[in-house]
Amino acid sequence: MKRFAIMVFMVLVLILAACQAEGTDNEAGSQEPDAAEAEESSDGGVSATKGTIKQAEFDKVFSDPKAYKGYEVTFTGKVFVQPERDNDGTYLQVFADPENAEQNVIVGVEDPDLDVSSEDYIRVSGVIRDEFTGENAFGAELKALVVGADTVEVVDYVTAVSPAMETIQVDQSQDQHGYVMHVDKVEIADNMTRVYVKITNNTDKEISFYSFNSRLLIGNKQLEEEQVYDSGLPEVQSSILPGMETEGVITFPAVDPSTETMTFHAEGSSENYDLNFKPFTFDIGK
């Protein structure tokens, strides 16, 4: 374990160096640890840990990382450079706050065959080893928390960035001329609201649905769709052929968790212009 801790520090130096411009030399005053320093810094997490940092308190670690050396931690984040590997393990650079591209963490795990890539969202459980400090290509100070991981698990966007604080099961369908819209559930997270929708075409003509025409109505306010890029959330297709169905997630701004009722308003159309469609409206209550 101690040898692996040393390797974590040696490889993280290479990872950070790769982020610098080609030909930039380390200054004499660089704070990159040598092997002896790495061995010393690993002591806090080799034999015993000092305690556990709860997920809700993880932000505090970045204000004074050295004070939390030796504590166990579990957090989620996004890998933002291609992983480095050797015979001893896999080494990752992770944003623990991927929405804002902040909270740089270097993670080392004793698994050289770990199936993880850049842009993956992950959940990490391990021990805080130390803080690494260096310089980027522009001479600015670069800091990163160093975590020796016991486990690294690839997770989805929702788990990592937007876990639901509350889920409202709706399970309602409306049928207009064979155009069937079903709302399965609504998830309320602290940074968005998600409506899970399925549309089925039981007609003999192509039908259309445009998510940007959807609204979430709360009191006298209407919320419009908010696109969330790189989320991996499935999208409802805009054109649905006869006999086909499509399902996905429509995202809206965050709502007050105390909200008791809301209405999902959506619109649809058909290539059969003889048919008249009213808006599909779903009253959603807790």
Side-chain angles (χ1 to χ4, degrees), residues 249-271:
V249 182
I250 305 173
T251 54
F252 296 94
V255 303
D256 188 331
S258 65
T259 300
E260 292 292 332
T261 60
M262 63 186 79
T263 299
F264 175 64
H265 172 109
E267 299 176 7
S269 62
S270 169
E271 286 190 349

Side-chain angles (χ1 to χ4, degrees), residues 200-207 239-245:
T200 305
N201 185 357
N202 291 329
T203 77
D204 58 359
K205 297 289 185 180
E206 184 175 315
I207 62 175
S239 299
I240 306 101
L241 295 172
M244 299 293 103
E245 65 181 28

Side-chain angles (χ1 to χ4, degrees), residues 86-104:
D86 60 18
N87 292 333
D88 295 291
T90 300
Y91 313 93
L92 313 169
Q93 264 197 290
V94 178
F95 282 134
D97 180 6
E99 277 194 294
N100 299 305
E102 294 179 347
Q103 298 184 347
N104 191 357

